[in-house]
Amino acid sequence: MSYLDAASSAPLHPVARQALMASLDEGWADPARLYREGRRARMLLDAAREAAAEAVGCRPDELAFTPSGTRAVHSGIAGALAGRRRVGRHLIVSAVEHSSVLHSAEVHQADGGSVTEVPVLRSGAVTVEAYAEALRPDTALACLQSANHEVGTEQPVAGVAEVCRAAGVPLLVDAAQSLGWGRVEGDWSLLAASAHKWGGPSGVGLLVVRKGVRFAAQGPVDERESGRAAGFENIPAIVAAAASLRAVRAEAAQEAARLRELTERIRARVPRLVPDVEVVGDPERRLPGVVTFSCLYVDGETLLHELDRAGFSVSSGSSCTSSTLTPSHVLKAMGVLSEGNVRVSLPLGAPEEDVERFLEVLPGAVAGVREKLGAPVAEAVVRDDALVVDSLGKRCPIPVIELAKVIGEVPVGGLVRVLSDDEAARLDIPAWCEMRGQEYVGEEPADRGSAYVVRRLS
């Protein structure tokens, strides 16, 4: 079995396993106690904090260990907003942030705060100018991920941090995906990360709050972790997290070059091997081991099952793989195709043979899914000089398949109206038009769902 979903959770690094087992016998006592066992546990905790702080590039007393990366994000945002409440209650986030950031924004808005969601380019990146324009006199906090978890696009953190610093606004960086590869550049104010993303154990997060940042921890607090993460520290897991972070950093430069070559191989060859594919994300400013592409006329969930049966563990942002049947908010914000989406994220040490075998298996898997879906007979009628395709009640990728089947039946310059009540159609039909050189005219209201209007150009 080839595990190609490291962006979700990386396999436990051998160094993490060794450190975890070794510290189980030494780090079980309360580090706040003064007797021998407590002092021993405190030494382990302090050493782990110093190692993690050195990797992050901060002071040890600026770094707190949390029960997870999500808790680090939630605590960081809530504490920074509370600490700057006198300034205002305006929060800035990007449209492609991790759900932990967006959920915090939703809570803040429900509590009476205001939120500006900065749009992204088709590559998935924000612009520094967009963040500068979003800043207001009452902005309390801005948030920006260092790299995107679904498409791998790296964000211009240093530039955004500069404009935020000039405006006196702290910037919180979600560095979960990038911290294993190196420090986050720029004059940021807060940082959150998660150990299981770089090969540490799950259940350990990092929250860094720079000195001078106004911060008021929310909820019940105690004396542990500077009051920013209540509860007894899981010292063996923390030690393993710090040890694995140091280990992956030691091999990061060499491994990044190797994985980047492998993902570039996937980016280049998939469109040649599989017709009607869109490779998404920035082609250059991206994480070394992540590549994402979407396949037209493919049910994402079925494709993932086919790849699983072939021995590959990958993930997807397709709406078909979600219980809500809504496309990934990241792909939606980018305006790219969501149907048949596949994310390949290579773990450290991923063998070249796994990539080659994946490229051998993928064309047949996609062709098999397309064959299973078949070519549905479109229920089409001519109405007001436009061909109307009724796809109501049909889920992705059927509406786009039916559009593709009938586009040749209208003359160049003619219109096709696709009736659909599937949320994914709002994203996938415009993306299909861009891929196939047709014009997306827009969306119109309908008795049920919406009518998506397409003009044939070729």
Side-chain angles (χ1 to χ4, degrees):
M1 192 73 182
S2 299
Y3 182 76
L4 307 180
D5 194 23
S8 291
S9 187
L12 192 66
H13 195 282
V15 169
R17 185 183 302 277
Q18 295 169 4
L20 182 65
M21 298 303 295
S23 57
L24 283 172
D25 291 332
E26 299 290 332
W28 52 268
D30 188 344
R33 300 298 176 233
L34 299 179
Y35 42 71
R36 180 182 304 172
E37 293 86 354
R39 294 196 306 271
R40 192 176 297 151
R42 169 57 62 182
M43 290 175 61
L44 288 173
L45 181 59
D46 289 346
R49 195 183 316 278
E50 290 177 6
E54 192 279 331
V56 171
C58 66
R59 294 170 37 158
D61 59 351
E62 294 175 329
L63 186 149
F65 292 107
T66 64
S68 68
T70 295
R71 181 65 63 83
V73 167
H74 290 172
S75 299
I77 293 176
L81 288 172
R84 286 176 48 83
R85 193 180 181 104
R86 290 185 180 181
V87 173
R89 304 201 63 203
H90 178 230
L91 172 66
I92 300 174
V93 300
S94 84
V96 294
E97 294 297 314
H98 188 269
S99 58
S100 60
V101 173
L102 298 183
H103 290 162
S104 291
E106 291 171 1
V107 169
H108 177 63
Q109 197 164 27
D111 192 40
S114 59
V115 177
T116 295
E117 193 172 275
V118 177
V120 297
L121 304 173
R122 192 172 176 84
S123 66
V126 303
T127 65
V128 176
E129 293 75 17
Y131 261 77
E133 292 173 3
L135 290 166
R136 304 187 330 204
D138 64 336
T139 301
L141 178 68
C143 300
L144 180 63
Q145 59 191 193
S146 54
N148 186 260
H149 50 292
E150 290 196 25
V151 299
T153 297
E154 294 179 335
Q155 301 290 0
V157 173
V160 171
E162 184 177 352
V163 298
C164 287
R165 179 68 65 178
V169 174
L171 176 68
L172 183 148
V173 178
D174 173 11
Q177 291 294 334
S178 72
L179 194 59
W181 297 109
R183 292 182 179 180
V184 176
E185 300 297 325
D187 198 8
W188 45 267
S189 301
L190 302 97
L191 179 143
S194 185
H196 75 99
K197 300 292 188 179
W198 66 67
S202 59
V204 180
L206 305 180
L207 173 60
V208 178
V209 182
R210 295 283 200 190
K211 293 296 181 183
V213 176
R214 290 187 177 275
F215 189 90
Q218 299 300 286
V221 299
D222 60 21
E223 73 281 1
R224 299 179 189 275
E225 297 304 307
S226 304
R228 293 171 186 161
F232 197 96
E233 298 95 341
N234 185 346
I235 293 177
I238 288 172
V239 170
S244 58
L245 180 56
R246 176 180 287 179
V248 298
R249 283 290 191 81
E251 55 187 322
Q254 181 176 356
E255 188 66 0
R258 192 182 71 86
L259 293 186
R260 199 175 293 279
E261 190 279 326
L262 292 178
T263 53
E264 187 58 41
R265 192 180 305 182
I266 297 172
R267 290 181 65 90
R269 287 174 57 183
V270 165
R272 297 201 298 264
L273 295 170
V274 182
D276 299 315
V277 164
E278 180 179 17
V279 181
V280 302
D282 194 292
E284 296 180 359
R285 289 185 54 83
R286 57 186 175 84
L287 292 171
V290 178
V291 56
T292 304
F293 54 89
S294 299
C295 308
L296 273 174
Y297 321 133
V298 168
D299 178 322
E301 184 173 11
T302 304
L303 178 57
L304 259 59
H305 286 318
E306 289 295 322
L307 291 172
D308 181 50
R309 277 193 284 271
F312 296 98
S313 302
V314 297
S315 64
S316 172
S318 290
S319 59
C320 317
T321 64
S322 167
S323 60
T324 61
L325 292 177
T326 57
S328 151
H329 71 277
V330 172
L331 301 178
K332 185 175 181 180
M334 293 168 62
V336 298
L337 184 70
S338 73
E339 66 183 57
N341 178 258
V342 175
R343 179 188 68 183
V344 175
S345 48
L346 305 177
L348 297 177
E352 179 182 1
E353 293 75 18
D354 284 1
V355 171
E356 286 298 324
R357 193 167 68 86
F358 175 79
L359 291 171
E360 291 176 4
V361 167
L362 181 67
V366 173
V369 173
R370 286 173 173 168
E371 185 178 358
K372 286 180 181 179
L373 287 171
V377 178
E379 300 172 22
V381 297
V382 177
R383 185 184 303 159
D384 298 329
D385 299 324
L387 189 66
V388 178
V389 178
D390 186 354
S391 293
L392 294 168
K394 299 174 182 177
R395 299 301 178 188
C396 74
I398 301 302
V400 181
I401 290 178
E402 294 188 341
L403 168 62
K405 294 292 290 184
V406 303
I407 190 71
E409 297 180 17
V410 299
V412 173
L415 299 177
V416 178
R417 281 183 171 83
V418 182
L419 302 178
S420 177
D421 50 6
D422 181 6
E423 176 68 20
R426 183 169 285 115
L427 176 63
D428 290 345
I429 290 177
W432 179 89
C433 290
E434 180 155 336
M435 290 178 67
R436 305 313 297 263
Q438 310 298 344
E439 179 186 355
Y440 177 64
V441 178
E443 180 181 345
E444 297 177 350
D447 293 338
R448 282 181 55 203
S450 297
Y452 302 94
V453 184
V454 175
R455 176 177 285 109
R456 182 185 176 190
L457 298 183
S458 60

mmCIF file of all heavy atoms in Angstrom, residues 182-218:
data_model
loop_
_atom_site.group_PDB
_atom_site.id
_atom_site.type_symbol
_atom_site.label_atom_id
_atom_site.label_comp_id
_atom_site.label_asym_id
_atom_site.label_seq_id
_atom_site.Cartn_x
_atom_site.Cartn_y
_atom_site.Cartn_z
ATOM 1 N N GLY A 182 10.773 24.379 7.043
ATOM 2 C CA GLY A 182 11.620 25.524 7.380
ATOM 3 C C GLY A 182 10.854 26.574 8.150
ATOM 4 O O GLY A 182 9.637 26.489 8.334
ATOM 5 N N ARG A 183 11.574 27.576 8.630
ATOM 6 C CA ARG A 183 10.959 28.672 9.367
ATOM 7 C C ARG A 183 10.050 29.497 8.462
ATOM 8 O O ARG A 183 10.267 29.570 7.246
ATOM 9 C CB ARG A 183 12.032 29.584 9.949
ATOM 10 C CG ARG A 183 12.871 28.960 11.057
ATOM 11 C CD ARG A 183 13.864 29.971 11.597
ATOM 12 N NE ARG A 183 14.666 29.404 12.686
ATOM 13 C CZ ARG A 183 15.609 30.079 13.339
ATOM 14 N NH1 ARG A 183 15.864 31.339 13.004
ATOM 15 N NH2 ARG A 183 16.285 29.498 14.312
ATOM 16 N N VAL A 184 9.072 30.113 9.068
ATOM 17 C CA VAL A 184 8.189 31.025 8.343
ATOM 18 C C VAL A 184 8.858 32.387 8.306
ATOM 19 O O VAL A 184 9.167 32.966 9.349
ATOM 20 C CB VAL A 184 6.809 31.121 9.027
ATOM 21 C CG1 VAL A 184 5.938 32.146 8.300
ATOM 22 C CG2 VAL A 184 6.133 29.760 9.046
ATOM 23 N N GLU A 185 9.084 32.883 7.105
ATOM 24 C CA GLU A 185 9.743 34.169 6.946
ATOM 25 C C GLU A 185 8.783 35.319 7.276
ATOM 26 O O GLU A 185 7.570 35.172 7.214
ATOM 27 C CB GLU A 185 10.262 34.327 5.514
ATOM 28 C CG GLU A 185 11.277 33.268 5.099
ATOM 29 C CD GLU A 185 12.536 33.309 5.926
ATOM 30 O OE1 GLU A 185 12.947 34.429 6.321
ATOM 31 O OE2 GLU A 185 13.109 32.236 6.200
ATOM 32 N N GLY A 186 9.353 36.455 7.605
ATOM 33 C CA GLY A 186 8.537 37.646 7.829
ATOM 34 C C GLY A 186 8.371 37.980 9.299
ATOM 35 O O GLY A 186 8.654 37.172 10.193
ATOM 36 N N ASP A 187 7.894 39.191 9.536
ATOM 37 C CA ASP A 187 7.739 39.721 10.888
ATOM 38 C C ASP A 187 6.341 39.428 11.416
ATOM 39 O O ASP A 187 5.581 40.339 11.758
ATOM 40 C CB ASP A 187 8.003 41.234 10.861
ATOM 41 C CG ASP A 187 8.288 41.786 12.244
ATOM 42 O OD1 ASP A 187 8.428 40.985 13.178
ATOM 43 O OD2 ASP A 187 8.356 43.018 12.379
ATOM 44 N N TRP A 188 5.981 38.127 11.484
ATOM 45 C CA TRP A 188 4.666 37.743 11.971
ATOM 46 C C TRP A 188 4.605 37.903 13.496
ATOM 47 O O TRP A 188 5.629 38.016 14.172
ATOM 48 C CB TRP A 188 4.348 36.301 11.583
ATOM 49 C CG TRP A 188 5.467 35.333 11.814
ATOM 50 C CD1 TRP A 188 6.425 34.934 10.923
ATOM 51 C CD2 TRP A 188 5.764 34.648 13.048
ATOM 52 N NE1 TRP A 188 7.293 34.044 11.508
ATOM 53 C CE2 TRP A 188 6.911 33.840 12.810
ATOM 54 C CE3 TRP A 188 5.181 34.613 14.299
ATOM 55 C CZ2 TRP A 188 7.478 33.037 13.794
ATOM 56 C CZ3 TRP A 188 5.740 33.812 15.289
ATOM 57 C CH2 TRP A 188 6.864 33.039 15.034
ATOM 58 N N SER A 189 3.379 37.853 14.038
ATOM 59 C CA SER A 189 3.182 38.081 15.470
ATOM 60 C C SER A 189 2.790 36.818 16.229
ATOM 61 O O SER A 189 3.177 36.634 17.387
ATOM 62 C CB SER A 189 2.100 39.147 15.687
ATOM 63 O OG SER A 189 2.452 40.366 15.072
ATOM 64 N N LEU A 190 1.971 35.972 15.622
ATOM 65 C CA LEU A 190 1.537 34.716 16.246
ATOM 66 C C LEU A 190 1.674 33.597 15.228
ATOM 67 O O LEU A 190 1.568 33.842 14.010
ATOM 68 C CB LEU A 190 0.080 34.796 16.731
ATOM 69 C CG LEU A 190 -0.298 35.877 17.731
ATOM 70 C CD1 LEU A 190 -0.911 37.064 17.001
ATOM 71 C CD2 LEU A 190 -1.289 35.350 18.776
ATOM 72 N N LEU A 191 1.879 32.379 15.734
ATOM 73 C CA LEU A 191 2.033 31.234 14.829
ATOM 74 C C LEU A 191 1.432 30.000 15.487
ATOM 75 O O LEU A 191 1.560 29.794 16.697
ATOM 76 C CB LEU A 191 3.511 31.018 14.512
ATOM 77 C CG LEU A 191 3.873 29.850 13.591
ATOM 78 C CD1 LEU A 191 5.040 30.229 12.675
ATOM 79 C CD2 LEU A 191 4.246 28.598 14.394
ATOM 80 N N ALA A 192 0.771 29.187 14.671
ATOM 81 C CA ALA A 192 0.197 27.924 15.134
ATOM 82 C C ALA A 192 0.672 26.805 14.224
ATOM 83 O O ALA A 192 0.875 27.006 13.025
ATOM 84 C CB ALA A 192 -1.334 27.990 15.132
ATOM 85 N N ALA A 193 0.858 25.615 14.800
ATOM 86 C CA ALA A 193 1.294 24.464 14.007
ATOM 87 C C ALA A 193 0.856 23.185 14.701
ATOM 88 O O ALA A 193 0.417 23.199 15.853
ATOM 89 C CB ALA A 193 2.803 24.486 13.810
ATOM 90 N N SER A 194 0.995 22.057 13.985
ATOM 91 C CA SER A 194 0.520 20.769 14.480
ATOM 92 C C SER A 194 1.560 19.699 14.217
ATOM 93 O O SER A 194 2.013 19.527 13.076
ATOM 94 C CB SER A 194 -0.796 20.402 13.786
ATOM 95 O OG SER A 194 -1.345 19.230 14.318
ATOM 96 N N ALA A 195 1.935 18.949 15.261
ATOM 97 C CA ALA A 195 3.047 18.015 15.157
ATOM 98 C C ALA A 195 2.795 16.875 14.186
ATOM 99 O O ALA A 195 3.728 16.394 13.528
ATOM 100 C CB ALA A 195 3.370 17.449 16.543
ATOM 101 N N HIS A 196 1.559 16.398 14.064
ATOM 102 C CA HIS A 196 1.331 15.230 13.211
ATOM 103 C C HIS A 196 1.477 15.556 11.732
ATOM 104 O O HIS A 196 1.503 14.658 10.889
ATOM 105 C CB HIS A 196 -0.039 14.610 13.494
ATOM 106 C CG HIS A 196 -1.201 15.373 12.948
ATOM 107 N ND1 HIS A 196 -1.825 15.033 11.776
ATOM 108 C CD2 HIS A 196 -1.863 16.453 13.415
ATOM 109 C CE1 HIS A 196 -2.823 15.864 11.541
ATOM 110 N NE2 HIS A 196 -2.870 16.738 12.524
ATOM 111 N N LYS A 197 1.622 16.853 11.397
ATOM 112 C CA LYS A 197 1.861 17.223 10.007
ATOM 113 C C LYS A 197 3.316 17.016 9.593
ATOM 114 O O LYS A 197 3.611 16.928 8.402
ATOM 115 C CB LYS A 197 1.477 18.689 9.777
ATOM 116 C CG LYS A 197 0.025 19.021 10.053
ATOM 117 C CD LYS A 197 -0.918 18.374 9.068
ATOM 118 C CE LYS A 197 -2.344 18.878 9.260
ATOM 119 N NZ LYS A 197 -3.285 18.287 8.309
ATOM 120 N N TRP A 198 4.242 16.988 10.561
ATOM 121 C CA TRP A 198 5.653 16.801 10.203
ATOM 122 C C TRP A 198 6.202 15.454 10.681
ATOM 123 O O TRP A 198 7.413 15.223 10.663
ATOM 124 C CB TRP A 198 6.511 17.942 10.725
ATOM 125 C CG TRP A 198 6.616 18.059 12.229
ATOM 126 C CD1 TRP A 198 7.226 17.188 13.081
ATOM 127 C CD2 TRP A 198 6.106 19.115 13.044
ATOM 128 N NE1 TRP A 198 7.131 17.627 14.379
ATOM 129 C CE2 TRP A 198 6.452 18.818 14.390
ATOM 130 C CE3 TRP A 198 5.396 20.284 12.781
ATOM 131 C CZ2 TRP A 198 6.093 19.643 15.447
ATOM 132 C CZ3 TRP A 198 5.050 21.107 13.839
ATOM 133 C CH2 TRP A 198 5.396 20.786 15.151
ATOM 134 N N GLY A 199 5.337 14.560 11.115
ATOM 135 C CA GLY A 199 5.786 13.244 11.534
ATOM 136 C C GLY A 199 5.899 13.074 13.023
ATOM 137 O O GLY A 199 6.411 12.054 13.499
ATOM 138 N N GLY A 200 5.402 14.046 13.791
ATOM 139 C CA GLY A 200 5.311 13.891 15.231
ATOM 140 C C GLY A 200 4.020 13.179 15.592
ATOM 141 O O GLY A 200 3.198 12.875 14.723
ATOM 142 N N PRO A 201 3.803 12.926 16.868
ATOM 143 C CA PRO A 201 2.558 12.275 17.283
ATOM 144 C C PRO A 201 1.386 13.235 17.225
ATOM 145 O O PRO A 201 1.550 14.454 17.313
ATOM 146 C CB PRO A 201 2.849 11.850 18.731
ATOM 147 C CG PRO A 201 3.878 12.819 19.209
ATOM 148 C CD PRO A 201 4.715 13.163 18.003
ATOM 149 N N SER A 202 0.197 12.703 17.052
ATOM 150 C CA SER A 202 -0.989 13.547 17.101
ATOM 151 C C SER A 202 -1.226 13.985 18.539
ATOM 152 O O SER A 202 -0.715 13.378 19.485
ATOM 153 C CB SER A 202 -2.205 12.783 16.570
ATOM 154 O OG SER A 202 -2.414 11.605 17.344
ATOM 155 N N GLY A 203 -1.997 15.051 18.700
ATOM 156 C CA GLY A 203 -2.299 15.535 20.043
ATOM 157 C C GLY A 203 -1.300 16.531 20.577
ATOM 158 O O GLY A 203 -1.276 16.796 21.783
ATOM 159 N N VAL A 204 -0.465 17.106 19.712
ATOM 160 C CA VAL A 204 0.486 18.138 20.119
ATOM 161 C C VAL A 204 0.436 19.272 19.101
ATOM 162 O O VAL A 204 0.614 19.054 17.894
ATOM 163 C CB VAL A 204 1.936 17.616 20.210
ATOM 164 C CG1 VAL A 204 2.882 18.748 20.633
ATOM 165 C CG2 VAL A 204 2.023 16.463 21.185
ATOM 166 N N GLY A 205 0.185 20.474 19.576
ATOM 167 C CA GLY A 205 0.226 21.656 18.742
ATOM 168 C C GLY A 205 1.169 22.690 19.326
ATOM 169 O O GLY A 205 1.605 22.569 20.480
ATOM 170 N N LEU A 206 1.511 23.689 18.526
ATOM 171 C CA LEU A 206 2.353 24.796 18.973
ATOM 172 C C LEU A 206 1.580 26.091 18.825
ATOM 173 O O LEU A 206 0.919 26.312 17.809
ATOM 174 C CB LEU A 206 3.630 24.910 18.136
ATOM 175 C CG LEU A 206 4.566 23.706 17.997
ATOM 176 C CD1 LEU A 206 5.751 24.092 17.125
ATOM 177 C CD2 LEU A 206 5.022 23.229 19.352
ATOM 178 N N LEU A 207 1.677 26.949 19.820
ATOM 179 C CA LEU A 207 1.153 28.305 19.730
ATOM 180 C C LEU A 207 2.251 29.258 20.163
ATOM 181 O O LEU A 207 2.736 29.183 21.298
ATOM 182 C CB LEU A 207 -0.081 28.497 20.611
ATOM 183 C CG LEU A 207 -0.606 29.940 20.718
ATOM 184 C CD1 LEU A 207 -0.994 30.478 19.333
ATOM 185 C CD2 LEU A 207 -1.783 30.029 21.677
ATOM 186 N N VAL A 208 2.656 30.131 19.252
ATOM 187 C CA VAL A 208 3.694 31.122 19.539
ATOM 188 C C VAL A 208 3.046 32.497 19.565
ATOM 189 O O VAL A 208 2.333 32.873 18.629
ATOM 190 C CB VAL A 208 4.809 31.083 18.470
ATOM 191 C CG1 VAL A 208 5.864 32.149 18.762
ATOM 192 C CG2 VAL A 208 5.443 29.702 18.414
ATOM 193 N N VAL A 209 3.293 33.232 20.639
ATOM 194 C CA VAL A 209 2.827 34.611 20.765
ATOM 195 C C VAL A 209 4.051 35.469 21.043
ATOM 196 O O VAL A 209 4.671 35.349 22.109
ATOM 197 C CB VAL A 209 1.788 34.777 21.896
ATOM 198 C CG1 VAL A 209 1.303 36.224 21.963
ATOM 199 C CG2 VAL A 209 0.609 33.824 21.701
ATOM 200 N N ARG A 210 4.420 36.318 20.098
ATOM 201 C CA ARG A 210 5.614 37.145 20.243
ATOM 202 C C ARG A 210 5.457 38.117 21.420
ATOM 203 O O ARG A 210 4.359 38.571 21.732
ATOM 204 C CB ARG A 210 5.841 37.959 18.972
ATOM 205 C CG ARG A 210 6.148 37.143 17.734
ATOM 206 C CD ARG A 210 7.576 36.645 17.730
ATOM 207 N NE ARG A 210 8.010 36.289 16.385
ATOM 208 C CZ ARG A 210 9.127 35.656 16.106
ATOM 209 N NH1 ARG A 210 9.933 35.297 17.091
ATOM 210 N NH2 ARG A 210 9.457 35.359 14.879
ATOM 211 N N LYS A 211 6.569 38.441 22.033
ATOM 212 C CA LYS A 211 6.566 39.442 23.079
ATOM 213 C C LYS A 211 6.070 40.774 22.515
ATOM 214 O O LYS A 211 6.423 41.164 21.400
ATOM 215 C CB LYS A 211 7.979 39.630 23.653
ATOM 216 C CG LYS A 211 8.496 38.424 24.415
ATOM 217 C CD LYS A 211 7.661 38.154 25.651
ATOM 218 C CE LYS A 211 8.211 36.960 26.428
ATOM 219 N NZ LYS A 211 7.378 36.639 27.604
ATOM 220 N N GLY A 212 5.249 41.462 23.277
ATOM 221 C CA GLY A 212 4.716 42.744 22.834
ATOM 222 C C GLY A 212 3.350 42.649 22.187
ATOM 223 O O GLY A 212 2.698 43.678 21.982
ATOM 224 N N VAL A 213 2.907 41.420 21.850
ATOM 225 C CA VAL A 213 1.576 41.246 21.260
ATOM 226 C C VAL A 213 0.542 41.209 22.383
ATOM 227 O O VAL A 213 0.675 40.423 23.335
ATOM 228 C CB VAL A 213 1.503 39.947 20.435
ATOM 229 C CG1 VAL A 213 0.086 39.713 19.909
ATOM 230 C CG2 VAL A 213 2.484 39.997 19.278
ATOM 231 N N ARG A 214 -0.469 42.046 22.280
ATOM 232 C CA ARG A 214 -1.526 42.034 23.289
ATOM 233 C C ARG A 214 -2.323 40.738 23.150
ATOM 234 O O ARG A 214 -2.861 40.450 22.081
ATOM 235 C CB ARG A 214 -2.443 43.244 23.127
ATOM 236 C CG ARG A 214 -1.782 44.564 23.494
ATOM 237 C CD ARG A 214 -2.783 45.706 23.473
ATOM 238 N NE ARG A 214 -2.180 46.951 23.898
ATOM 239 C CZ ARG A 214 -2.045 47.341 25.160
ATOM 240 N NH1 ARG A 214 -2.487 46.551 26.130
ATOM 241 N NH2 ARG A 214 -1.498 48.494 25.465
ATOM 242 N N PHE A 215 -2.391 39.990 24.226
ATOM 243 C CA PHE A 215 -3.005 38.675 24.180
ATOM 244 C C PHE A 215 -3.705 38.407 25.500
ATOM 245 O O PHE A 215 -3.120 38.596 26.575
ATOM 246 C CB PHE A 215 -1.946 37.597 23.922
ATOM 247 C CG PHE A 215 -2.488 36.222 23.650
ATOM 248 C CD1 PHE A 215 -2.770 35.821 22.360
ATOM 249 C CD2 PHE A 215 -2.717 35.327 24.688
ATOM 250 C CE1 PHE A 215 -3.267 34.540 22.098
ATOM 251 C CE2 PHE A 215 -3.210 34.058 24.447
ATOM 252 C CZ PHE A 215 -3.488 33.668 23.144
ATOM 253 N N ALA A 216 -4.958 37.993 25.439
ATOM 254 C CA ALA A 216 -5.732 37.670 26.639
ATOM 255 C C ALA A 216 -6.346 36.288 26.452
ATOM 256 O O ALA A 216 -7.312 36.133 25.700
ATOM 257 C CB ALA A 216 -6.815 38.716 26.892
ATOM 258 N N ALA A 217 -5.755 35.287 27.110
ATOM 259 C CA ALA A 217 -6.253 33.913 26.976
ATOM 260 C C ALA A 217 -7.720 33.841 27.382
ATOM 261 O O ALA A 217 -8.135 34.447 28.367
ATOM 262 C CB ALA A 217 -5.420 32.972 27.825
ATOM 263 N N GLN A 218 -8.496 33.103 26.603
ATOM 264 C CA GLN A 218 -9.932 32.994 26.845
ATOM 265 C C GLN A 218 -10.289 31.659 27.482
ATOM 266 O O GLN A 218 -9.626 30.651 27.261
ATOM 267 C CB GLN A 218 -10.694 33.163 25.518
ATOM 268 C CG GLN A 218 -10.472 34.521 24.864
ATOM 269 C CD GLN A 218 -10.920 35.661 25.747
ATOM 270 O OE1 GLN A 218 -12.110 35.900 25.908
ATOM 271 N NE2 GLN A 218 -9.968 36.375 26.329
#
